[in-house]
Amino acid sequence: MRYHSLIPLTAALANLLICGLVARQGLRDPLRRAFTWNTLSIVSWNLDIFALYYFTDAASAEWWSRVFRIGICLAPATTFHFALALSESGALGWRVLLGGAYATGFTLAVANMFGLLVTNVTPHRWGWYIEPGPLYGVLTASLVIFLGLWANRVWRAYRHPISSRQRVQAKFWLLGGLI
C-alpha cells in the first residue's frame, strides 16, 4: 500500500464527518445546504487525489480519478454558492451568475466523462499524474474566477455584516482561505 494515499483519504473522511455534522442540523437553512454541497465537492476532490495515489494500475487510477473529478468540476460553483449564502447576496445578477457557474460545472462534469478534461495518467513515484485534456483550461479558469468571486462575497460579508455572527463567520472563512 502506498502510505501517502492516506493523507487525501483522511482529509476526505474528516470533511465527510464535518459535512455530516452540519447536515444533521437540518438542510432547510440555505447556508447549511450550501456548505454541505461545497463540502461534498471537496470530499470528492480529495478522493480524486486518493485514487491517483492509491491504485497501482493506470486503468483503475484513471477510472476512479475520472469518477471523483466530477466533484472538482462542481467545486467552483458550490464554493461560490456557499459565499452567496454566507453574504446573503440574493440579487438577480448573483443568482444568474450562480446559474452560469453550475451550468459550467455540469458541462465540465459531462465533458470529463468523455475524457475531455484529462486524457491520460502518467506514472510518478508517488502514484499517477494527470495529463490535461483540451478543456482543462476551462476548469482552471472556472476555479480562478469563482474563487475570486468567493473572496469578494466573503469580504463583503465581513466588511458589511448583517449581524455580528455573520462577521465572525466571514472572518473565519477569510482566515481559512488565506491558510
Side-chain angles (χ1 to χ4, degrees):
M1 177 177 184
R2 299 175 176 181
Y3 294 105
H4 48 271
S5 67
L6 293 175
I7 295 170
L9 180 61
T10 302
L13 292 173
N15 282 315
L16 195 57
L17 175 68
I18 292 168
C19 179
L21 291 173
V22 170
R24 189 171 162 220
Q25 295 176 6
L27 295 178
R28 290 181 186 243
D29 176 34
L31 185 60
R32 282 192 200 118
R33 193 170 43 249
F35 176 84
T36 300
W37 282 117
N38 187 227
T39 306
L40 288 174
S41 69
I42 293 169
V43 166
S44 182
W45 196 327
N46 283 309
L47 291 174
D48 174 33
I49 296 168
F50 168 75
L52 292 170
Y53 287 7
Y54 178 76
F55 291 103
T56 55
D57 63 298
S60 295
E62 201 280 327
W63 167 251
W64 286 108
S65 175
R66 183 177 294 197
V67 168
F68 291 125
R69 195 173 306 115
I70 292 170
I72 296 173
C73 295
L74 295 173
T78 61
T79 301
F80 180 54
H81 187 175
F82 171 74
L84 290 179
L86 177 68
S87 65
E88 298 184 21
S89 300
L92 179 62
W94 291 115
R95 289 190 312 231
V96 168
L97 200 52
L98 180 62
Y102 275 112
T104 302
F106 284 118
T107 301
L108 288 172
V110 170
N112 169 58
M113 296 312 288
F114 290 101
L116 296 172
L117 286 183
V118 173
T119 57
N120 202 4
V121 293
T122 57
H124 284 271
R125 62 185 171 142
W126 44 261
W128 301 96
Y129 192 76
I130 61 168
E131 291 181 8
L135 293 181
Y136 199 80
V138 176
L139 176 62
T140 303
S142 177
L143 279 168
V144 169
I145 290 166
F146 289 108
L147 286 178
L149 289 171
W150 170 89
N152 172 276
R153 294 289 81 200
V154 176
W155 178 252
R156 183 207 170 275
Y158 177 73
R159 295 295 294 161
H160 307 286
I162 294 171
S163 67
S164 58
R165 179 180 183 161
Q166 185 186 47
R167 184 181 193 115
V168 170
Q169 288 174 332
K171 179 170 57 172
F172 282 119
W173 281 106
L174 287 170
L175 180 62
L178 287 174
I179 291 172

